[in-house]
PDB file of all heavy atoms in Angstrom:
ATOM      1  N   CYS A  23     130.943  24.594 -99.814  1.00  0.00           N
ATOM      2  CA  CYS A  23     129.974  23.493 -99.832  1.00  0.00           C
ATOM      3  C   CYS A  23     130.007  22.704 -98.521  1.00  0.00           C
ATOM      4  O   CYS A  23     128.956  22.329 -97.972  1.00  0.00           O
ATOM      5  CB  CYS A  23     130.260  22.565-101.006  1.00  0.00           C
ATOM      6  SG  CYS A  23     129.947  23.300-102.627  1.00  0.00           S
ATOM      7  N   MET A  24     131.200  22.462 -97.990  1.00  0.00           N
ATOM      8  CA  MET A  24     131.323  21.743 -96.723  1.00  0.00           C
ATOM      9  C   MET A  24     130.697  22.531 -95.582  1.00  0.00           C
ATOM     10  O   MET A  24     130.004  21.960 -94.722  1.00  0.00           O
ATOM     11  CB  MET A  24     132.804  21.454 -96.427  1.00  0.00           C
ATOM     12  CG  MET A  24     133.453  20.466 -97.381  1.00  0.00           C
ATOM     13  SD  MET A  24     135.208  20.227 -97.003  1.00  0.00           S
ATOM     14  CE  MET A  24     135.098  19.647 -95.307  1.00  0.00           C
ATOM     15  N   LEU A  25     130.919  23.832 -95.566  1.00  0.00           N
ATOM     16  CA  LEU A  25     130.344  24.650 -94.504  1.00  0.00           C
ATOM     17  C   LEU A  25     128.824  24.690 -94.588  1.00  0.00           C
ATOM     18  O   LEU A  25     128.138  24.711 -93.555  1.00  0.00           O
ATOM     19  CB  LEU A  25     130.913  26.072 -94.582  1.00  0.00           C
ATOM     20  CG  LEU A  25     132.390  26.224 -94.246  1.00  0.00           C
ATOM     21  CD1 LEU A  25     132.842  27.673 -94.421  1.00  0.00           C
ATOM     22  CD2 LEU A  25     132.670  25.765 -92.812  1.00  0.00           C
ATOM     23  N   MET A  26     128.288  24.706 -95.789  1.00  0.00           N
ATOM     24  CA  MET A  26     126.835  24.689 -95.943  1.00  0.00           C
ATOM     25  C   MET A  26     126.250  23.377 -95.432  1.00  0.00           C
ATOM     26  O   MET A  26     125.133  23.356 -94.897  1.00  0.00           O
ATOM     27  CB  MET A  26     126.460  24.905 -97.417  1.00  0.00           C
ATOM     28  CG  MET A  26     126.787  26.306 -97.939  1.00  0.00           C
ATOM     29  SD  MET A  26     126.475  26.498 -99.717  1.00  0.00           S
ATOM     30  CE  MET A  26     124.700  26.296 -99.769  1.00  0.00           C
ATOM     31  N   ILE A  27     127.004  22.282 -95.576  1.00  0.00           N
ATOM     32  CA  ILE A  27     126.547  20.993 -95.047  1.00  0.00           C
ATOM     33  C   ILE A  27     126.629  20.981 -93.529  1.00  0.00           C
ATOM     34  O   ILE A  27     125.745  20.441 -92.838  1.00  0.00           O
ATOM     35  CB  ILE A  27     127.380  19.853 -95.651  1.00  0.00           C
ATOM     36  CG1 ILE A  27     127.146  19.776 -97.166  1.00  0.00           C
ATOM     37  CG2 ILE A  27     127.058  18.526 -94.994  1.00  0.00           C
ATOM     38  CD1 ILE A  27     128.037  18.773 -97.878  1.00  0.00           C
ATOM     39  N   LEU A  28     127.680  21.600 -92.967  1.00  0.00           N
ATOM     40  CA  LEU A  28     127.856  21.618 -91.520  1.00  0.00           C
ATOM     41  C   LEU A  28     126.879  22.553 -90.825  1.00  0.00           C
ATOM     42  O   LEU A  28     126.507  22.324 -89.667  1.00  0.00           O
ATOM     43  CB  LEU A  28     129.300  22.034 -91.179  1.00  0.00           C
ATOM     44  CG  LEU A  28     130.395  21.063 -91.595  1.00  0.00           C
ATOM     45  CD1 LEU A  28     131.779  21.652 -91.303  1.00  0.00           C
ATOM     46  CD2 LEU A  28     130.228  19.720 -90.858  1.00  0.00           C
ATOM     47  N   PHE A  29     126.452  23.613 -91.501  1.00  0.00           N
ATOM     48  CA  PHE A  29     125.543  24.595 -90.905  1.00  0.00           C
ATOM     49  C   PHE A  29     124.301  24.748 -91.801  1.00  0.00           C
ATOM     50  O   PHE A  29     124.075  25.816 -92.390  1.00  0.00           O
ATOM     51  CB  PHE A  29     126.237  25.949 -90.742  1.00  0.00           C
ATOM     52  CG  PHE A  29     127.469  25.912 -89.890  1.00  0.00           C
ATOM     53  CD1 PHE A  29     128.728  25.824 -90.468  1.00  0.00           C
ATOM     54  CD2 PHE A  29     127.376  25.954 -88.509  1.00  0.00           C
ATOM     55  CE1 PHE A  29     129.861  25.791 -89.682  1.00  0.00           C
ATOM     56  CE2 PHE A  29     128.505  25.917 -87.711  1.00  0.00           C
ATOM     57  CZ  PHE A  29     129.762  25.833 -88.296  1.00  0.00           C
ATOM     58  N   PRO A  30     123.494  23.716 -91.914  1.00  0.00           N
ATOM     59  CA  PRO A  30     122.345  23.803 -92.826  1.00  0.00           C
ATOM     60  C   PRO A  30     121.285  24.810 -92.367  1.00  0.00           C
ATOM     61  O   PRO A  30     120.727  25.542 -93.197  1.00  0.00           O
ATOM     62  CB  PRO A  30     121.798  22.380 -92.834  1.00  0.00           C
ATOM     63  CG  PRO A  30     122.241  21.798 -91.533  1.00  0.00           C
ATOM     64  CD  PRO A  30     123.568  22.415 -91.236  1.00  0.00           C
ATOM     65  N   ALA A  31     120.985  24.840 -91.068  1.00  0.00           N
ATOM     66  CA  ALA A  31     119.947  25.756 -90.578  1.00  0.00           C
ATOM     67  C   ALA A  31     120.368  27.207 -90.761  1.00  0.00           C
ATOM     68  O   ALA A  31     119.579  28.056 -91.203  1.00  0.00           O
ATOM     69  CB  ALA A  31     119.656  25.465 -89.099  1.00  0.00           C
ATOM     70  N   GLU A  32     121.613  27.503 -90.409  1.00  0.00           N
ATOM     71  CA  GLU A  32     122.114  28.873 -90.549  1.00  0.00           C
ATOM     72  C   GLU A  32     122.158  29.291 -92.025  1.00  0.00           C
ATOM     73  O   GLU A  32     121.869  30.445 -92.365  1.00  0.00           O
ATOM     74  CB  GLU A  32     123.501  28.999 -89.929  1.00  0.00           C
ATOM     75  CG  GLU A  32     123.524  28.881 -88.409  1.00  0.00           C
ATOM     76  CD  GLU A  32     123.459  27.443 -87.934  1.00  0.00           C
ATOM     77  OE1 GLU A  32     123.427  26.540 -88.798  1.00  0.00           O
ATOM     78  OE2 GLU A  32     123.430  27.219 -86.712  1.00  0.00           O
ATOM     79  N   THR A  33     122.535  28.344 -92.896  1.00  0.00           N
ATOM     80  CA  THR A  33     122.560  28.643 -94.331  1.00  0.00           C
ATOM     81  C   THR A  33     121.170  28.977 -94.847  1.00  0.00           C
ATOM     82  O   THR A  33     120.987  29.933 -95.604  1.00  0.00           O
ATOM     83  CB  THR A  33     123.135  27.447 -95.106  1.00  0.00           C
ATOM     84  OG1 THR A  33     124.475  27.193 -94.665  1.00  0.00           O
ATOM     85  CG2 THR A  33     123.142  27.717 -96.596  1.00  0.00           C
ATOM     86  N   TRP A  34     120.179  28.185 -94.413  1.00  0.00           N
ATOM     87  CA  TRP A  34     118.808  28.431 -94.854  1.00  0.00           C
ATOM     88  C   TRP A  34     118.305  29.781 -94.353  1.00  0.00           C
ATOM     89  O   TRP A  34     117.690  30.542 -95.108  1.00  0.00           O
ATOM     90  CB  TRP A  34     117.909  27.308 -94.341  1.00  0.00           C
ATOM     91  CG  TRP A  34     116.484  27.446 -94.776  1.00  0.00           C
ATOM     92  CD1 TRP A  34     115.945  27.073 -95.970  1.00  0.00           C
ATOM     93  CD2 TRP A  34     115.415  28.018 -94.017  1.00  0.00           C
ATOM     94  NE1 TRP A  34     114.602  27.368 -96.010  1.00  0.00           N
ATOM     95  CE2 TRP A  34     114.254  27.951 -94.816  1.00  0.00           C
ATOM     96  CE3 TRP A  34     115.325  28.566 -92.739  1.00  0.00           C
ATOM     97  CZ2 TRP A  34     113.026  28.420 -94.383  1.00  0.00           C
ATOM     98  CZ3 TRP A  34     114.113  29.039 -92.305  1.00  0.00           C
ATOM     99  CH2 TRP A  34     112.972  28.968 -93.118  1.00  0.00           C
ATOM    100  N   GLN A  35     118.568  30.096 -93.076  1.00  0.00           N
ATOM    101  CA  GLN A  35     118.111  31.365 -92.522  1.00  0.00           C
ATOM    102  C   GLN A  35     118.769  32.555 -93.229  1.00  0.00           C
ATOM    103  O   GLN A  35     118.123  33.573 -93.497  1.00  0.00           O
ATOM    104  CB  GLN A  35     118.404  31.411 -91.020  1.00  0.00           C
ATOM    105  CG  GLN A  35     117.583  30.419 -90.208  1.00  0.00           C
ATOM    106  CD  GLN A  35     117.997  30.369 -88.756  1.00  0.00           C
ATOM    107  OE1 GLN A  35     118.921  31.069 -88.331  1.00  0.00           O
ATOM    108  NE2 GLN A  35     117.327  29.531 -87.976  1.00  0.00           N
ATOM    109  N   ALA A  36     120.065  32.436 -93.521  1.00  0.00           N
ATOM    110  CA  ALA A  36     120.765  33.515 -94.228  1.00  0.00           C
ATOM    111  C   ALA A  36     120.202  33.689 -95.629  1.00  0.00           C
ATOM    112  O   ALA A  36     120.042  34.814 -96.112  1.00  0.00           O
ATOM    113  CB  ALA A  36     122.264  33.228 -94.283  1.00  0.00           C
ATOM    114  N   GLY A  37     119.899  32.581 -96.305  1.00  0.00           N
ATOM    115  CA  GLY A  37     119.303  32.678 -97.629  1.00  0.00           C
ATOM    116  C   GLY A  37     117.938  33.337 -97.597  1.00  0.00           C
ATOM    117  O   GLY A  37     117.604  34.156 -98.474  1.00  0.00           O
ATOM    118  N   VAL A  38     117.138  33.019 -96.587  1.00  0.00           N
ATOM    119  CA  VAL A  38     115.817  33.637 -96.459  1.00  0.00           C
ATOM    120  C   VAL A  38     115.949  35.137 -96.194  1.00  0.00           C
ATOM    121  O   VAL A  38     115.192  35.948 -96.747  1.00  0.00           O
ATOM    122  CB  VAL A  38     115.018  32.947 -95.340  1.00  0.00           C
ATOM    123  CG1 VAL A  38     113.738  33.719 -95.030  1.00  0.00           C
ATOM    124  CG2 VAL A  38     114.675  31.519 -95.746  1.00  0.00           C
ATOM    125  N   ARG A  39     116.916  35.515 -95.354  1.00  0.00           N
ATOM    126  CA  ARG A  39     117.124  36.947 -95.080  1.00  0.00           C
ATOM    127  C   ARG A  39     117.528  37.684 -96.350  1.00  0.00           C
ATOM    128  O   ARG A  39     117.036  38.781 -96.638  1.00  0.00           O
ATOM    129  CB  ARG A  39     118.194  37.133 -94.004  1.00  0.00           C
ATOM    130  CG  ARG A  39     117.744  36.828 -92.598  1.00  0.00           C
ATOM    131  CD  ARG A  39     118.701  37.424 -91.578  1.00  0.00           C
ATOM    132  NE  ARG A  39     120.053  36.944 -91.767  1.00  0.00           N
ATOM    133  CZ  ARG A  39     120.559  35.865 -91.174  1.00  0.00           C
ATOM    134  NH1 ARG A  39     119.797  35.142 -90.360  1.00  0.00           N
ATOM    135  NH2 ARG A  39     121.807  35.490 -91.384  1.00  0.00           N
ATOM    136  N   GLY A  40     118.445  37.096 -97.102  1.00  0.00           N
ATOM    137  CA  GLY A  40     118.850  37.733 -98.353  1.00  0.00           C
ATOM    138  C   GLY A  40     117.705  37.840 -99.337  1.00  0.00           C
ATOM    139  O   GLY A  40     117.543  38.866-100.020  1.00  0.00           O
TER     140      GLY A  40
END
Side-chain angles (χ1 to χ4, degrees):
C23 292
M24 293 178 59
L25 292 178
M26 292 175 65
I27 296 174
L28 294 175
F29 301 97
E32 291 80 2
T33 299
W34 182 82
Q35 293 173 359
V38 170
R39 285 197 303 269

